[in-house]
Amino acid sequence: MSALPLLRAASLILALAAVALGPAEAAGTLRIGYQRSSTLIALLRQDGSLEKALAPQGVAVSWHEFTSGLPIMEALNTGSIDVSADVADTVPIFAQAAQARITYLAQEAASPSAQAILVPGDSPLKSVADLKGRKIAVTKGAGSHYLLLAALAGEGLPFRSIVPAYLSPADGRTALASGSVEAWVAWDPFLSAALEQSGARILRDGTGLSLYKRYYLAADDYAARHPEILAVIVVRLGETGAWVKANPDAAAARLAELWKLDPGIIRKANERRSYRVERVTRGDLAEQQTIADAFRAEGLLPRAVDASALAVWEPPTR
């Protein structure tokens, strides 16, 4: 489903929600987990518009920052948060392998060039094949993890042909700059920042290797009890994503205040991201299964995963 029909349907739901939910039933605090790279959630948090949209239902919002997607999934599964901001396509797969009880809420359409394998500007490495035997920084379970796996597979190389250094984005960039790793797999805005500030160059981006969709998820129990609240979130995400693409300079300026990055870097990062928020369908999970199978084949998942087995949020009809 395209973003526009989704927004129209969800907007109708918002009109019904005030009647469908009484204050006592909906009252409480919505707990949202996010990462620094969670662009749309960062903007909603900055301007308070999500709180305003939820106020008629008696819902407050609390914000909880995490360094990567997997800890967010753990927090969802343990009931520490209710909803996650966007996480890379790999993250729900690893969470599912850990038997997390989570629901797909929405997705951002594919942005394959928003993640890439980087090397120093003066590196002798010229192709993915040259990574064999090299130490590479990557964030475990992130979309960049699958990009690296898929890039190696494209050259007939198993994952064990390289030496992974599992690091956070900040530590990965430091490791690349210090020479303690020979390549680093990054995603935006970290990717654009490294290209602009440290002279790194792209060895291979995700084009033709990974769609790199980003998913919003909710705890199963929360999704079952509060579909109308989730409808509000989906509407606001969709509107914010459309605003970012229509107002690149203004969006970059606002994010620069939050991320302490040059607006020009952020604008370049935002050009690589689709920010088109869409409903998740079962058909959309085909690449999720491909990702799960690839990790399992390399021994990087503890068990086989049926990507279609997770719940998918459906907009309420009442």
Side-chain angles (χ1 to χ4, degrees):
M1 177 181 288
S2 69
L4 186 55
L6 173 60
L7 290 180
R8 286 173 177 164
S11 295
L12 177 59
I13 292 163
L14 295 192
L16 298 173
V19 176
L21 275 182
E25 181 184 356
T29 299
L30 168 65
R31 301 164 300 171
I32 299 178
Y34 67 98
Q35 304 172 71
R36 189 183 180 209
S37 58
S38 301
T39 307
L40 303 186
I41 286 292
L43 292 170
L44 289 175
R45 180 170 178 257
Q46 181 193 50
D47 66 14
S49 60
L50 184 58
E51 285 94 336
K52 293 174 185 175
L54 290 170
Q57 298 185 37
V59 178
V61 180
S62 64
W63 307 91
H64 307 268
E65 184 172 358
F66 294 80
T67 57
S68 64
L70 288 180
I72 295 180
M73 294 299 98
E74 182 179 356
L76 269 183
N77 191 45
T78 59
S80 300
I81 60 173
D82 306 306
V83 169
S84 85
D86 56 304
V87 295
D89 40 18
T90 53
V91 175
I93 298 298
F94 276 83
Q96 190 175 357
Q99 300 181 314
R101 299 176 297 277
I102 54 179
T103 296
Y104 283 107
L105 173 58
Q107 66 183 359
E108 288 181 15
S111 303
S113 64
Q115 56 178 357
I117 302 170
L118 299 180
V119 294
D122 59 356
S123 170
L125 305 182
K126 302 300 181 184
S127 71
V128 172
D130 294 335
L131 295 175
K132 184 177 180 179
R134 310 288 184 165
K135 189 174 183 179
I136 304 171
V138 64
T139 302
K140 189 172 185 178
S144 56
H145 197 175
Y146 177 65
L147 171 58
L148 178 58
L149 188 154
L152 292 170
E155 298 294 330
L157 297 173
F159 193 75
R160 63 180 179 275
S161 66
I162 58 97
V163 180
Y166 291 122
L167 299 172
S168 69
D171 290 339
R173 177 172 173 175
T174 299
L176 185 70
S178 69
S180 59
V181 300
E182 293 167 275
W184 168 44
V185 199
W187 65 91
D188 273 315
F190 312 107
L191 166 61
S192 293
L195 291 172
E196 182 71 20
Q197 295 174 339
S198 63
R201 63 178 170 84
I202 294 176
L203 190 70
R204 181 71 160 90
D205 72 14
T207 304
L209 292 173
S210 169
L211 292 178
Y212 188 48
K213 293 182 178 182
R214 295 186 68 86
Y215 289 95
Y216 297 83
L217 298 109
D220 278 352
D221 181 60
Y222 193 88
R225 288 186 294 112
H226 298 298
E228 293 88 353
I229 292 174
L230 298 184
V232 175
I233 298 171
V234 171
V235 169
R236 292 299 303 127
L237 288 170
E239 292 172 347
T240 303
W243 180 84
V244 169
K245 300 305 282 188
N247 301 274
D249 290 329
R254 284 182 56 189
L255 290 165
E257 297 178 16
L258 298 174
W259 291 345
K260 310 306 178 187
L261 285 173
D262 182 87
I265 292 174
I266 296 173
R267 176 163 178 156
K268 289 178 181 178
N270 287 347
E271 288 172 353
R272 294 188 179 97
R273 290 275 293 274
S274 73
Y275 295 129
R276 190 170 71 250
V277 178
E278 302 172 333
R279 178 178 164 189
V280 179
T281 69
R282 293 292 174 190
D284 293 322
L285 300 179
E287 175 154 303
Q288 291 297 88
Q289 190 62 55
T290 298
I291 293 170
D293 293 344
F295 275 108
R296 179 63 176 165
E298 291 284 357
L300 298 171
L301 277 184
R303 59 179 57 85
V305 163
D306 176 3
S308 66
L310 287 186
V312 174
W313 176 77
E314 297 280 350
T317 56
R318 60 180 175 137

